[in-house]
């Protein structure tokens, strides 16, 4: 593996980070020397947590991992990676539908930057139905989601207006 390959990027919106994300982060951090967690800056997307809140939540959930770094990025992910000498993207896949979508993204990213490789990690089956969107959907109805998100995230979700 070349030096550049030892750092990988796990990017997303993380609004908020879930146990599914955390599972991928913990496993990827064991595979790579450094794992960067890239939070997408998208001013056009309305989010429940602002960028700083999302970063703080990720930081708290990953404080037991010493090779994880959290960054923000804007625009194309492959451009950020190129500028920062990263050529591996990590993505979690929950379902075969995810595989279809992830393959499309992987091919597009490869087309945009041929040095980029995408590594797909199957999500732990117990988290295979979780998404940040579904968490927010059921949260509106006061559902119990304590097994789906880290405790710090749950506490912050409860403070939001639903
Ligand atoms: O939280 P998500 O929806 O899984 O994150 C998707 C994300 C942010 C990784 C993807 O949409 C992305 O990389 N966006 C930045 C813009 C970009 O590079 N688009 C091309 C993707 S093929």
């Amino acid at each position: 593996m070349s030096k550049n390959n030892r750092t990988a990027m796990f990017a997303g919106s993380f609004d908020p980070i879930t146990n599914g994300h955390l599972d991928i982060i913990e496993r990827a951090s064991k595979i790579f020397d450094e794992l960067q967690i890239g939070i997408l800056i998208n001013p056009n997307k309305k989010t429940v947590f602002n960028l700083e809140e999302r970063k703080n939540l990720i930081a708290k959930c990953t404080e037991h991992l010493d090779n994880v770094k959290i960054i923000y990025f804007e625009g194309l992910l492959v451009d950020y990676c190129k500028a920062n000498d990263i050529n591996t993207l990590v993505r979690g896949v929950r379902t075969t539908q995810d595989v279809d979508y992830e393959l499309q993204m992987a091919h597009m990213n490869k087309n945009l930057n041929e040095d980029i490789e995408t590594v797909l990690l199957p999500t732990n089956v117990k988290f295979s139905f979780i998404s940040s969107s579904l968490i927010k959907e059921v949260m509106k109805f006061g559902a119990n989601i304590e097994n789906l998100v880290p405790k710090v995230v749950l506490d912050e979700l409860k403070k939001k207006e639903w």
Side-chain angles (χ1 to χ4, degrees):
M1 217 182 247
S2 78
K3 187 170 180 287
N4 290 345
N5 283 334
R6 294 186 189 141
T7 297
M9 166 62 67
F10 181 52
S13 303
F14 303 107
D15 184 41
I17 183 171
T18 67
N19 283 346
H21 292 129
L22 197 52
D23 167 55
I24 296 295
I25 291 167
E26 285 173 344
R27 287 160 55 208
S29 77
K30 287 187 199 148
I31 299 172
F32 299 99
D33 290 340
E34 178 179 274
L35 181 69
Q36 293 202 10
I37 304 179
I39 308 174
L40 174 67
I41 301 174
N42 182 355
N44 299 320
K45 197 170 162 188
K46 199 174 163 351
T47 55
V48 169
F49 293 99
N50 66 33
L51 279 171
E52 208 190 324
E53 288 173 320
R54 281 180 272 159
K55 185 180 184 183
N56 288 340
L57 284 175
I58 296 170
K60 282 183 188 151
C61 298
T62 59
E63 62 190 6
H64 59 298
L65 304 170
D66 60 9
N67 62 341
V68 162
K69 177 179 166 185
I70 306 165
I71 60 97
Y72 299 118
F73 75 100
E74 205 166 3
L76 286 176
L77 180 57
V78 290
D79 288 346
Y80 176 90
C81 289
K82 191 167 201 157
N84 291 277
D85 282 337
I86 299 169
N87 56 18
T88 307
L89 303 178
V90 173
R91 299 285 295 168
V93 287
R94 297 161 295 191
T95 60
T96 51
Q97 265 178 327
D98 274 358
V99 174
D100 283 347
Y101 175 63
E102 294 300 334
L103 281 179
Q104 267 187 303
M105 285 222 293
H107 292 313
M108 177 57 86
N109 282 328
K110 185 92 179 152
N111 194 265
L112 296 170
N113 174 356
E114 65 176 24
D115 294 331
I116 284 285
E117 297 296 349
T118 301
V119 173
L120 301 182
L121 283 184
T123 302
N124 186 315
V125 72
K126 46 178 197 201
F127 304 131
S128 60
F129 60 95
I130 309 178
S131 67
S132 300
S133 312
L134 265 189
I135 294 285
K136 289 177 278 190
E137 169 68 22
V138 300
M139 198 63 205
K140 286 183 202 154
F141 300 97
N144 179 359
I145 53 155
E146 66 185 18
N147 58 334
L148 308 182
V149 292
K151 169 91 171 64
V152 278
V153 174
L154 184 64
D155 291 345
E156 292 309 310
L157 276 166
K158 283 180 177 166
K159 289 182 196 163
K160 296 284 177 188
E161 293 260 335
W162 295 98

